[in-house]
C-alpha cells in the first residue's frame, strides 16, 4: 500500500501542476523556495542513513560531496563513495 | 531542434548518472534482504531515486507510513515546478506532451532539458523514457549482481544511500541561505540521533532547515533590498 501511495504522490506531483498551471512567468523564485525543502531533506536523510556517526564514516561522504561539487555527477559520486568505503573495510 | 551527435551527448549524460546509482540502489535493497523484485517495483512505480532511497532508509528504521509519505512529498516537491519551468522555455506544449513526459520528469531529464532550450518536447520524451527504463534495469541488475557479494561488501555498499543524498545535496548549495538550511538540518539530525529521540524527528530537522533558510533569506533581503534570491 505504501508503494502505491508513494507512486501516486510521485505521479501527481509531476503531472497535475504542469497540467493546471499555465506558463509561469517567475518560476525562479518558486524553484529557490522549494530547493530549500530538497536541501534540508537530503541533509537530514544523509545523517539518518549513515551507519554510524564517526569520523571514519564521514570520509566517503566528504569524497562524495567533493566529486558532486567538481563533476556534478551523482553516479560518479556514489561510485567513489562505495570504492572508498570498500577500501576502508578491506584495507 | 537538436540532431544526431548533439542529441547523443544527452543520452550519455543520463546513462552516466543513472547506471552507477541504479546499481547501487539495487545493491542496497539487496543488503536489506528485499530481493530483486522490490527495487524493480519501486523503480517502475515511484521512479524517484530520493523517494525510493527514503523508502529503503525507512525500512530498517521501521517508521509508520505518514512520516514516509510526508518526507517523500517534501523530497519530490521540486518536481512540481519542473514541467511549468520547461514550458516557460518553449513555445510548443500540448496535453499529450505533458502526459507523455510528466510521469518521467526527473532531476536529470529536467537538467538536460534546461541545458538546451532547443531540445523540443518530441526529443525530451524518448530521452525521458530512456532514463526510466535504464533506471529500472540498473536497479534490477544491481540487486542481482549483489547477490553474489559477501556480507562485508553489502555493508560497504550501504554507504551508497547517504552518499546519494550528499551528491544530490552539494550541487544545490549555491548561497549562504542554502548552506544555512543544510547546517540546521544536519545539526538537528545529529543531535536527534545522539539523543536517540526516534526517527520520527527527521521531519522536525527538515522543517527547521527550511525555516532557517527562509529566515536567513528574508534577513539578507532586508539588508539588501535589491536581492531577489533567498
Amino acid at each position: 500500500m505504501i508503494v502505491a501511495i508513494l507512486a501516486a504522490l510521485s505521479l501527481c506531483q509531476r503531472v497535475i501542476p504542469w497540467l493546471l498551471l499555465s506558463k509561469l512567468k517567475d518560476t525562479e523564485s518558486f524553484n529557490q523556495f522549494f530547493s530549500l525543502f530538497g536541501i534540508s531533506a537530503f541533509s537530514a536523510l544523509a545523517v539518518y542513513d549513515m551507519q554510524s556517526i564517526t569520523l571514519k564514516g564521514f570520509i566517503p561522504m566528504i569524497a562524495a560531496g567533493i566529486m558532486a561539487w567538481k563533476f556534478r555527477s551523482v553516479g560518479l559520486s556514489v561510485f567513489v563513495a562505495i570504492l572508498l568505503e570498500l577500501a576502508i573495510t578491506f584495507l | 531542434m537538436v540532431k544526431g551527435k548533439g542529441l547523443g551527448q544527452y543520452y550519455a549524460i543520463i546513462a552516466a548518472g543513472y547506471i552507477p546509482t541504479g546499481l547501487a540502489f539495487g545493491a542496497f535493497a539487496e543488503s536489506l534482504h528485499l530481493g530483486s523484485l522490490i527495487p524493480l517495483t519501486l523503480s517502475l512505480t515511484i521512479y524517484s531515486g530520493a523517494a525510493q532511497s527514503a523508502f529503503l532508509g525507512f525500512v530498517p528504521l521501521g517508521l509508520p507510513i505518514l512520516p514516509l509519505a510526508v518526507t517523500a512529498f517534501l523530497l519530490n516537491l521540486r518536481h512540481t515546478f519542473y514541467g511549468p519551468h520547461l514550458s516557460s522555455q518553449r513555445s510548443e506544449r500540448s496535453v499529450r506532451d505533458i502526459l507523455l513526459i510528466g510521469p518521467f520528469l526527473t532531476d536529470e531529464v529536467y537538467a538536460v532539458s534546461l541545458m538546451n532550450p532547443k531540445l523540443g518536447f518530441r526529443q525530451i520524451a524518448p530521452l525521458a523514457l530512456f532514463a526510466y527504463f535504464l533506471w529500472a534495469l540498473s536497479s534490477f541488475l544491481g540487486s542481482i549482481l549483489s547477490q553474489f557479494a559477501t556480507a562485508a561488501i553489502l555493508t560497504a555498499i550501504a554507504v551508497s544511500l547517504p552518499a546519494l543524498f550528499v551528491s544530490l545535496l552539494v550541487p544545490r548549495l549555491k548561497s549562504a541561505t542554502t548552506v544555512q538550511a543544510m547546517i540546521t538540518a544536519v545539526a538537528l539530525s545529529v543531535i536527534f540521533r545522539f539523543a536517540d529521540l526516534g526517527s520520527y524527528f527527521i521531519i522536525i530537522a527538515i522543517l527547521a532547515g527550511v525555516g532557517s533558510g527562509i529566515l536567513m533569506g528574508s534577513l539578507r533581503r532586508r539588508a539588501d533590498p535589491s536581492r531577489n534570491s533567498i
Side-chain angles (χ1 to χ4, degrees):
Chain A
M1 186 178 129
I2 183 64
V3 174
I5 291 171
L6 293 183
L9 258 180
S10 181
L11 186 65
C12 290
Q13 282 182 294
R14 285 173 173 142
V15 176
I16 291 176
W18 200 0
L19 284 170
L20 295 180
L21 296 173
S22 58
K23 291 183 180 182
L24 289 176
K25 298 284 186 241
D26 182 23
T27 52
E28 189 59 32
S29 58
F30 283 115
N31 283 335
Q32 287 170 352
F33 178 78
F34 284 114
S35 76
L36 284 177
F37 282 101
I39 286 164
S40 301
F42 293 146
S43 306
L45 283 164
V47 172
Y48 267 83
D49 286 316
M50 280 178 72
Q51 303 254 338
S52 60
I53 310 268
T54 59
L55 280 178
K56 206 169 77 172
F58 274 109
I59 294 172
M61 298 302 109
I62 293 167
I66 292 170
M67 297 302 285
W69 184 264
K70 187 89 177 162
F71 299 105
R72 304 286 156 139
S73 168
V74 172
L76 184 63
S77 308
V78 172
F79 182 65
V80 167
I82 292 172
L83 282 184
L84 260 176
E85 184 68 21
L86 285 171
I88 291 168
T89 304
F90 290 104
L91 296 181
Chain B
M1 177 81 68
V2 181
K3 290 178 181 173
K5 195 178 174 183
L7 200 56
Q9 68 173 315
Y10 298 118
Y11 283 87
I13 290 170
I14 295 284
Y18 274 45
I19 291 174
T21 319
L23 288 174
F25 174 74
F28 181 66
E30 182 57 33
S31 74
L32 295 174
H33 308 292
L34 293 176
S36 302
L37 285 180
I38 296 285
L40 180 64
T41 305
L42 292 176
S43 294
L44 288 172
T45 54
I46 299 174
Y47 189 41
S48 163
Q52 288 175 229
S53 301
F55 178 88
L56 292 190
F58 274 52
V59 167
L61 300 174
L63 282 181
I65 290 175
L66 185 62
L68 175 54
V70 171
T71 303
F73 176 78
L74 292 176
L75 282 172
N76 286 338
L77 207 52
R78 65 196 186 283
H79 289 155
T80 301
F81 291 93
Y82 284 178
H85 193 180
L86 291 183
S87 282
S88 70
Q89 272 193 329
R90 293 159 175 82
S91 55
E92 43 153 347
R93 186 197 61 167
S94 69
V95 173
R96 183 176 166 275
D97 289 332
I98 294 172
L99 292 177
L100 191 61
I101 298 169
F104 309 108
L105 198 53
T106 59
D107 292 341
E108 289 79 2
V109 174
Y110 168 72
V112 164
S113 308
L114 215 59
M115 275 163 56
N116 192 340
K118 287 182 182 172
L119 269 180
F121 284 124
R122 298 295 151 86
Q123 292 173 310
I124 296 173
L127 190 68
L129 281 173
F130 169 75
Y132 175 69
F133 287 112
L134 189 66
W135 172 253
L137 181 67
S138 302
S139 57
F140 181 67
L141 283 178
S143 63
I144 295 283
L145 293 174
S146 65
Q147 287 176 11
F148 302 99
T150 64
I153 290 176
L154 288 179
T155 306
I157 285 174
V159 79
S160 63
L161 187 56
L164 172 69
F165 289 126
V166 170
S167 322
L168 290 168
L169 164 71
V170 168
R172 289 173 168 80
L173 299 174
K174 292 174 180 169
S175 66
T177 306
T178 55
V179 173
Q180 167 74 26
M182 178 203 70
I183 290 171
T184 305
V186 166
L188 281 178
S189 301
V190 169
I191 291 169
F192 292 162
R193 269 198 69 169
F194 277 119
D196 204 17
L197 282 177
S199 302
Y200 196 90
F201 278 76
I202 193 171
I203 298 294
I204 294 174
I206 292 170
L207 294 178
V210 174
S212 72
I214 291 171
L215 182 66
M216 185 166 187
S218 62
L219 289 175
R220 292 179 78 196
R221 271 198 303 274
R222 194 174 294 174
D224 180 9
S226 64
R227 182 184 293 274
N228 289 321
S229 60
I230 53 175

